[in-house]
Amino acid sequence: MRGWRHAQRAAGKFGLLAGTALTLLASCPAVAQTAFELPVRAPGAPRPMLPAAVKPLRPAPVVRPPVDDGLGQVGFYLEADTLVRDDTHNTWTARGKVEARYQGRTLRGEEVIYNVATGVVVANGHAQILNADGTAEFADHLVLDDQMRAGFARGFSISLAHNIHFAADVAIRRSETVNELNRAVYTPCDVCTASGASKIPTWSIQASRIIEDHERHLVYYKNAVIMIKGIPVFYAPVFWHPDPDSKHASGLLMPRVENSQKRGITYEQPYLQVISPSTELTIDPQFNSKQNPLLMGEWREKFYSGELDARVGYTYSRDFDGDGNQFGNLTSRSYIIANGAFAISPTWDWGFSALRTSDKLLFDKYDIANIYQGASLIASDSQRLTSQIYATRQDTQSYLSIAAVSFEGLRPTDIDKTLPLVAPLIEARYDPKEDILGGRFRLTADAVLLTRDQSPVNLVAPSADTRQASLDADWRRTFTLSNGMRLEPFAQVLGAVYDVANLNPADTAQRTTFHSNETLGLDFSWPFIRQDGSTSVILEPIAQLAVSPTAHADPNIPNEDSQVFTFDETNLFSTDRFSGFDLYDSGPRLNLGGRVTADWGDGLTARALIGRAFRAQTTNIYPPNTGLNRQASDWVVAADATPLPGISVFGRALFNDSLRADRLEGGVDFAYSRAHGYIRYLQDDNTQTLAVPGVVTSGVERDLDAAGEFYVLPHWGISLVGIRDLQLNAWRLRDIGLVYKDECIKVEVVYQHEDVIVGRLGRSDAVFLRLDLATLTAQGYKNDDFR
């Protein structure tokens, strides 16, 4: 009995050491979660020490929630066919189906030896640890000491969450901060078939050695190879990157490789330098075989009140076209993309954006990505760069913004001197907390100063400089009657003053003009609801009556803030459909419509709206293809529906009295296990842009846009992308690709043709290889030389 108690104490210590040691060794597999995508082994490079001695990955156990075995934190359970005490060698040996449980872990093996004198534990024969979280570790042979200063495992493998697997011929824990895997394999792919048989993973990373240094927050690789279906495709003799457990650590980042007709073979190798826990610098040189290098850098810094992100690029080169042909003189070419946003107080913020380039096509020529992302008050679009500095104040009742804004055009036809400098731009809103006359009251104010170097109409004439201030007071109250009828009376008063110089080449005088508009009106709606089982239908007639003094566009007021206009269901019942103050509606007018909504349950719905606007007198301030200048506008029709699971459709249109569509837009989205994508169609007989009241500056649009992926087999499919300009009868973009996708990889080979001509870049054809590996950064390789 006395010897058995001694055996229990010794076995308990063994359970503590063995269970914890394998958990420590398991920290090594996390290294591969950010493994580096490597180029093919160079000719003459040493052959990597690889797969012969690396055993196949063992099947992962089913991950289950932790189960309380009743042992608590100090209890220990040991089961074996035999337990032998050897006083000569001072060891305890458990043999035959050994199973030990301690602190939620289960250790199994054919033989476990504990040396009482030294505290060394040795486990032999299919040793395995099952952790409480469902992860599993395996080893053919395991050795560690009682101080956890060193650990050793042979024939080691591990299965982690997210289907991550690791295997190594030898795993060594060198110290508290350094782990080493020798002849190692990593994969996030399935290693077993549905029947339980082993299979070659879709992709894996093999290395002769992987070292994880937690003190320096770095992971080192020696002879690293990426395998696709067991075939080596990329190799690097030495590589290192930040430890995945560390959020900030210096090191090399994912490279980018490209072969294009305009730049030739391109290689980018970013390097991240962590300066402090809140500051980091990325240096990213781009080397091109046909063009001079481009040096890029990015500075990111977080403050207690906000953050800063600044990107720059510089090259000294000639200009070049889409075929890579150089022309012009050698000169400096550069760009800056910087954004910052900061909190001054709980209600005050300030920020800035600085976007500028020396070459309108620089971003396209060097494929600079993510140009228009970043915090800003006024967003840039794909054709204009917006630089600004601003401050905002906001609480529950009020909003104030003060900004200065300038623009740089990237369109080939843009002349920057005709784009305005907006400084200052002031916008304010105030909503009193208390009701006024039983309703909601709102004040909106606006002030702006616009200056230009040249007139956008006459390039040799001085440009119109505009100073404007306006105030808008709006009141609205809601009454809901017992029969469900909803009445909303409203009142609006608008006043604006303009000071304009150099209005046109023939009139260079400075003029001050005041205009105002007063509106009284009533919104009416009366919903009728019918319920039949799980189906509900709502019919809702809607009307709006508004009365304002009759007015016409003032030729002394340039239209600066209401140039883009669209008439659709979103502003059918708006008292003023313009986004700014320079143009406004007037006279008696009546907007009528009806809306129907149906819901069949399970997410199946349908909605539709139809309506039109009427006015007592004609006007000339709206685009002609809306009908809003007439006494009766075009018909506004809009609908959307989800008629079947996985399918949604929408449509909107403007129909004139002869039922011809002046504007038509529609589309369908679909999403199923083997097919997903969309189709869009747009027809606009006159793009509604009002640089001058009553004058539409753009032309006809007819576009068809579609994209999708279709899987003929469970893992194999095709991808399609197309943008067709039906007006010009030309494709702006065409993609067709062959796709393979499984649980850990997506490979897409794509042929792409672009008809778009941007400056001198010209049309292009390309073949892309897009590669996305699970747990690794997606990387694409492309060849633009296909013709």
Side-chain angles (χ1 to χ4, degrees):
M1 177 67 75
R2 179 177 171 183
W4 175 245
R5 290 197 187 100
H6 189 187
Q8 283 183 311
R9 289 195 296 270
K13 186 173 183 181
F14 151 75
L16 172 64
L17 297 181
T20 307
L22 281 175
T23 301
L24 291 173
L25 288 172
S27 64
C28 296
V31 174
Q33 295 180 16
T34 57
F36 179 67
E37 193 164 276
L38 302 163
V40 177
R41 180 169 63 98
R47 180 182 178 87
M49 299 169 55
L50 284 177
V54 178
K55 292 182 167 54
L57 296 171
R58 297 176 174 88
V62 177
V63 177
R64 298 185 178 92
V67 177
D68 185 6
D69 55 12
L71 297 175
Q73 293 297 308
V74 296
F76 175 78
Y77 171 85
L78 174 65
E79 179 181 338
D81 291 344
T82 60
L83 180 64
V84 179
R85 173 180 172 179
D86 186 343
D87 290 334
T88 302
H89 298 91
N90 205 13
T91 61
W92 290 85
T93 303
R95 293 193 181 98
K97 300 179 181 179
V98 181
E99 180 171 321
R101 292 201 299 269
Y102 186 79
Q103 291 187 346
R105 302 184 191 91
T106 299
L107 169 67
R108 295 171 182 163
E110 295 299 322
E111 181 184 67
V112 174
I113 302 171
Y114 171 63
N115 190 304
V116 178
T118 64
V120 172
V121 176
V122 177
N124 297 308
H126 302 99
Q128 57 183 270
I129 285 287
L130 304 180
N131 297 305
D133 60 2
T135 60
E137 303 153 58
F138 307 88
D140 291 337
H141 177 73
L142 168 70
V143 179
L144 67 152
D145 68 15
D146 60 351
Q147 297 299 317
M148 305 301 175
R149 286 189 299 262
F152 174 86
R154 186 169 58 243
F156 172 81
S157 63
I158 184 170
S159 297
L160 301 173
H162 308 297
N163 205 39
I164 292 173
H165 309 280
F166 239 101
D169 186 39
V170 175
I172 303 172
R173 178 175 169 79
R174 295 292 184 185
S175 68
E176 294 293 330
T177 60
V178 177
N179 299 319
E180 179 181 320
L181 289 176
N182 291 296
R183 302 168 67 88
V185 180
Y186 160 80
T187 182
C189 306
D190 290 341
V191 296
C192 299
T193 64
S195 62
S198 62
K199 72 170 188 176
I200 298 176
T202 304
W203 72 270
S204 61
I205 298 177
Q206 298 185 358
S208 60
R209 182 176 299 170
I210 301 175
I211 297 175
E212 184 180 18
D213 190 331
H214 290 288
E215 184 177 0
R216 295 179 174 84
H217 302 292
L218 291 173
V219 179
Y220 301 89
Y221 290 83
K222 182 177 180 181
N223 292 324
V225 178
I226 290 183
M227 311 286 288
I228 303 294
K229 287 294 186 180
I231 301 173
V233 293
F234 299 107
Y235 167 82
V238 178
F239 178 69
W240 66 94
H241 66 74
D243 189 332
D245 295 333
S246 174
K247 293 183 178 180
H248 292 84
S250 301
L252 296 174
L253 303 180
M254 183 72 72
R256 290 181 286 272
V257 180
E258 178 181 332
N259 187 7
S260 66
Q261 190 166 358
K262 55 191 176 186
R263 296 195 312 275
I265 298 175
T266 296
Y267 180 80
E268 292 184 31
Q269 180 55 75
Y271 175 79
L272 174 67
Q273 178 63 49
V274 176
I275 299 173
S276 72
S278 60
T279 307
E280 59 188 33
L281 171 66
T282 302
I283 304 297
D284 186 7
Q286 181 188 102
F287 301 99
N288 307 290
S289 63
K290 296 174 67 174
Q291 310 299 337
N292 286 355
L294 173 70
L295 179 62
M296 296 175 287
E298 182 172 10
W299 179 280
R300 292 182 295 271
E301 185 167 3
K302 290 187 177 181
F303 305 87
Y304 72 94
S305 61
E307 58 184 298
L308 167 70
D309 189 331
R311 299 163 56 192
V312 295
Y314 174 82
T315 183
Y316 186 73
S317 67
R318 291 183 171 88
D319 205 349
F320 58 90
D321 59 21
D323 293 324
N325 300 317
Q326 298 184 0
F327 58 92
N329 297 323
L330 280 169
T331 185
S332 295
R333 304 177 189 276
S334 60
Y335 69 85
I336 180 171
I337 305 168
N339 294 277
F342 308 91
I344 302 174
S345 71
T347 57
W348 279 95
D349 298 293
W350 81 275
F352 75 93
S353 66
L355 283 74
R356 281 295 184 267
T357 177
S358 63
D359 185 338
K360 293 181 184 296
L361 299 176
L362 190 66
F363 300 130
D364 296 310
K365 292 172 181 175
Y366 290 93
D367 292 333
I368 310 301
N370 303 322
I371 304 302
Y372 309 102
Q373 298 180 0
S376 60
L377 183 67
I378 300 174
S380 298
D381 60 32
S382 60
Q383 300 296 321
R384 295 273 165 82
L385 300 180
T386 303
S387 298
Q388 60 198 293
I389 184 169
Y390 61 89
T392 63
R393 183 192 184 280
Q394 185 171 6
D395 56 28
T396 55
Q397 275 80 50
S398 63
Y399 171 81
L400 171 67
S401 69
I402 305 172
V405 188
S406 68
F407 305 93
E408 179 180 4
L410 300 183
R411 300 177 179 91
T413 56
D414 277 340
I415 301 175
D416 290 338
K417 290 184 178 182
T418 66
L419 300 178
L421 171 65
V422 185
L425 171 63
I426 303 172
E427 297 176 313
R429 189 193 69 245
Y430 175 64
D431 295 288
K433 184 180 299 185
E434 300 79 12
D435 289 345
I436 295 179
L437 299 178
R440 187 269 300 160
F441 180 73
R442 172 176 294 172
L443 282 173
T444 304
D446 177 276
V448 64
L449 171 62
L450 287 84
T451 58
R452 289 184 174 91
D453 293 332
Q454 289 183 351
S455 169
V457 179
N458 189 336
L459 299 182
V460 299
S463 179
D465 296 334
T466 304
R467 290 162 289 279
Q468 173 259 331
S470 59
L471 181 65
D472 182 6
D474 180 84
W475 175 87
R476 181 178 293 269
R477 184 175 180 180
T478 302
F479 297 91
T480 302
L481 306 184
S482 59
N483 60 2
M485 188 179 299
R486 183 185 179 97
L487 302 173
E488 292 189 11
F490 61 86
Q492 182 182 34
V493 178
L494 167 67
V497 60
Y498 291 81
D499 185 63
V500 182
N502 303 319
L503 185 60
N504 57 65
D507 185 0
T508 58
Q510 183 168 333
R511 300 179 182 276
T512 300
T513 305
F514 176 81
H515 77 190
S516 64
N517 189 40
E518 303 82 26
T519 304
L520 292 175
L522 177 69
D523 284 341
F524 165 87
S525 63
W526 194 359
F528 296 88
I529 303 175
R530 179 174 180 176
Q531 187 80 32
D532 185 5
S534 62
T535 302
S536 63
V537 178
I538 303 175
L539 297 175
E540 185 178 10
I542 310 170
Q544 182 186 73
L545 175 65
V547 179
S548 305
T550 301
H552 297 281
D554 191 332
N556 294 317
I557 299 176
N559 178 23
E560 298 282 4
D561 61 13
S562 302
Q563 293 189 10
V564 178
F565 180 84
T566 300
F567 181 39
D568 56 22
E569 73 279 6
T570 62
N571 58 10
L572 172 62
F573 296 99
S574 297
T575 56
D576 189 354
R577 298 184 177 93
F578 293 105
S579 58
F581 295 93
D582 294 342
L583 296 177
Y584 58 91
D585 211 338
S586 66
R589 50 202 185 274
L590 176 65
N591 305 317
L592 296 176
R595 181 163 47 210
V596 57
T597 303
D599 190 330
W600 296 277
D602 297 327
L604 305 182
T605 62
R607 297 177 298 177
L609 179 143
I610 184 171
R612 70 188 310 187
F614 300 88
R615 59 189 315 111
Q617 297 176 335
T618 61
T619 185
N620 67 343
I621 61 173
Y622 288 106
N625 64 324
T626 61
L628 286 169
N629 292 325
R630 304 191 305 265
Q631 290 183 306
S633 75
D634 284 357
W635 288 92
V636 174
V637 179
D640 63 81
T642 304
L644 296 170
I647 294 181
S648 60
V649 298
F650 76 93
R652 58 175 59 91
L654 283 178
F655 292 102
N656 58 27
D657 289 335
S658 61
L659 298 183
R660 186 181 68 86
D662 288 327
R663 178 180 171 86
L664 178 64
E665 183 179 1
V668 57
D669 296 276
F670 56 93
Y672 294 99
S673 60
R674 290 200 178 187
H676 61 86
Y678 65 87
I679 301 173
R680 301 281 188 272
Y681 173 75
L682 172 64
Q683 171 197 327
D684 194 339
D685 285 351
N686 241 330
T687 304
Q688 299 164 26
T689 303
L690 289 170
V692 180
V695 178
V696 179
T697 60
S698 299
V700 177
E701 282 187 78
R702 280 183 174 82
D703 291 336
L704 181 65
D705 185 359
E709 287 187 1
F710 307 88
Y711 288 86
V712 181
L713 299 174
H715 299 301
W716 289 94
I718 60 173
S719 64
L720 299 171
V721 177
I723 303 176
R724 177 77 173 175
D725 190 324
L726 301 177
Q727 184 66 25
L728 299 177
N729 196 27
W731 288 96
R732 291 208 296 268
L733 178 67
R734 279 176 288 178
D735 279 9
I736 181 169
L738 178 65
V739 184
Y740 175 85
K741 182 174 71 172
D742 61 21
E743 78 283 350
C744 64
I745 191 172
K746 182 177 180 181
V747 183
E748 188 175 5
V749 181
V750 181
Y751 163 76
Q752 182 182 91
H753 174 78
E754 289 184 277
D755 282 330
V756 178
I757 298 176
V758 182
R760 297 188 61 171
L761 291 183
R763 300 180 180 181
S764 65
D765 292 277
V767 172
F768 293 82
L769 173 61
R770 294 171 180 160
L771 179 63
D772 190 358
L773 304 178
T775 75
L776 296 184
T777 302
Q779 179 69 37
Y781 299 89
K782 73 176 184 177
N783 183 349
D784 280 350
D785 292 332
F786 184 88
R787 284 286 174 181

